[in-house]
Amino acid sequence: MAAPDRDATSAGKSTRPTHADVARLANVSTATVSYVLNNSAGKRISPRTREAVYSAAGQLGYRPNAAARNLARGGSGVVLSVLPRVAVGDMPIQAGSLMATALARHGLLQVQIFETEDYQQVIDAIDNLDPIAVLSLFPLSSDARGKVNAAKVPLIEIGLLPALGDPLLTVGVLRVGHLVERGHRKIAFGHTGDATWRALGDYWLRGIVDAARAHDLPPITVDEVTTSNAAEVVTGWVRDGVTAVCAQSDEIAGMVLHGLREAGLRCPHDLAVLGIDANPMGALCDPPLTTVQFNPAAVADAAVAAVLTELGYPAPPAPSPTDVAHLVVRAST
């Protein structure tokens, strides 16, 4: 049997593009390619040359060796992603998975960590993992922020990115606007009775209050809702003329529905109920729960673009401001 033709065999294989390939296509030296793609400090590279290198790398599908580049940059290649300890549904996990895949294409390793009440896990992670950037869905505590600043690495607070608009205001406008369209004017806010989740409730409440003010509505009535007091709370709301409630989460909305049944009241006839987080169980409530669903792809795209831009990597343009959330309208409103 004749030996296989080595050239033919090699030609049939897909070879990985190299620095030299990028340099030839961009008509620059391999050193320039290295300076641009590693964002080397102290090197004067014209915007036109940088764009030529980025364009060539994109055309060739060039993927740098992550370990080598991170060593050259003097960094770990770790992007620390801080997941909130407050209940915000599945969105952070879904967005985090999309972000991890996108960052890996650039040789970056996303490490996810859940924040604690005192943020000590975040502080320890910054010390031990030596991240080159920190991502946080919501603003960090002053102690954790101080640790990030001391480490001299970028902090990207996803909820504040211009590409996402203003989630606080957006969600408030969605919820209050929907209720106003249904003829409601006196609205209550169902807060958690658990101090652990209080911060997120305060966050969403500010958006509700601002949106209500924009519609010239009466002041928002605010009460804590628990399984033990739900019937009492909803009875008081209905007695005081409240016709709709925005709950701080789908879980609290479920407690409100429980309270209505216990009090012999009907939803939405006596009280419309609107949740947030799009918990799958909301579709099984009686009646099915109207809620707000977040767009994890929009969150991930905005976060990845911000990280790559901060680190000087070839990055896609930041997405235009987009709808970070939308209403899922069901029978509860």
Side-chain angles (χ1 to χ4, degrees):
M1 179 181 293
D5 187 319
R6 180 174 297 176
D7 290 339
T9 303
S10 299
K13 292 183 179 179
S14 175
T15 57
R16 180 170 177 166
T18 65
H19 266 53
D21 297 323
V22 175
R24 280 192 292 272
L25 184 58
N27 196 28
V28 298
S29 68
T30 54
T32 297
V33 171
S34 180
Y35 296 151
V36 171
L37 297 184
N38 290 323
N39 197 32
S40 300
K43 302 298 180 181
R44 293 187 176 181
I45 308 293
S46 72
R48 177 176 294 181
T49 299
R50 287 184 182 277
E51 180 58 34
V53 172
Y54 290 151
S55 177
Q59 289 180 50
L60 293 172
Y62 173 75
R63 296 175 62 186
N65 181 283
R69 182 168 68 182
N70 289 328
L71 287 172
R73 292 168 68 96
S76 64
V78 168
V79 175
L80 184 64
S81 180
V82 182
L83 298 179
R85 63 190 176 88
V86 293
V88 287
D90 293 335
M91 187 275 292
I93 302 299
Q94 295 170 350
S97 296
L98 294 170
M99 289 156 50
T101 300
L103 292 173
R105 296 191 186 104
H106 296 268
L108 299 173
L109 174 65
Q110 178 181 252
V111 175
Q112 295 183 338
I113 183 171
F114 281 93
E115 66 189 18
T116 53
E117 191 165 353
D118 60 4
Y119 282 84
Q120 191 58 48
Q121 283 188 199
V122 178
I123 293 170
D124 291 344
I126 294 171
D127 283 335
N128 297 327
L129 295 175
D130 188 27
I132 58 175
V134 176
L135 278 167
S136 177
L137 186 61
F138 297 118
L140 296 178
S141 71
S142 58
D143 288 346
R145 180 186 292 272
K147 176 61 71 172
V148 175
N149 291 338
K152 297 182 179 179
V153 298
L155 170 61
I156 296 98
E157 293 173 328
I158 301 172
L160 303 180
L161 292 175
L164 296 181
D166 185 344
L168 173 68
L169 180 61
T170 297
V171 172
V173 168
L174 275 175
R175 300 172 89 188
V176 173
H178 173 69
L179 294 175
V180 169
E181 287 177 359
R182 298 292 172 100
H184 300 284
R185 291 195 56 80
K186 192 164 179 57
I187 298 171
F189 183 82
H191 221 315
T192 181
D194 185 341
T196 304
W197 314 121
R198 188 84 187 182
L200 184 61
D202 290 339
Y203 179 82
W204 295 134
L205 175 58
R206 290 198 300 274
I208 297 295
V209 169
D210 289 346
R213 188 178 296 118
H215 283 280
D216 198 27
L217 300 183
I220 299 296
T221 300
V222 182
D223 286 286
E224 291 183 359
V225 181
T226 66
T227 53
S228 60
N229 77 350
E232 178 184 351
V233 170
V234 299
T235 298
W237 283 340
V238 173
R239 182 190 62 236
D240 295 339
V242 171
T243 62
V245 56
C246 290
Q248 90 158 54
S249 67
D250 283 358
E251 288 80 4
I252 299 299
M255 292 182 189
V256 173
L257 293 175
H258 167 73
L260 286 169
R261 288 191 297 273
E262 289 290 304
L265 299 171
R266 295 172 295 167
C267 174
H269 182 271
D270 295 306
L271 188 71
V273 182
L274 204 164
I276 185 171
D277 291 345
N279 187 311
M281 295 302 293
L284 304 178
C285 288
D286 183 20
L289 181 66
T290 295
T291 188
V292 175
Q293 185 170 42
F294 293 95
N295 181 354
V299 173
D301 288 348
V304 169
V307 170
L308 296 179
T309 299
E310 284 283 351
L311 296 179
Y313 282 70
S320 301
T322 185
D323 292 334
V324 68
H326 66 274
L327 276 174
V328 178
V329 180
R330 301 189 181 114
S332 71
T333 55

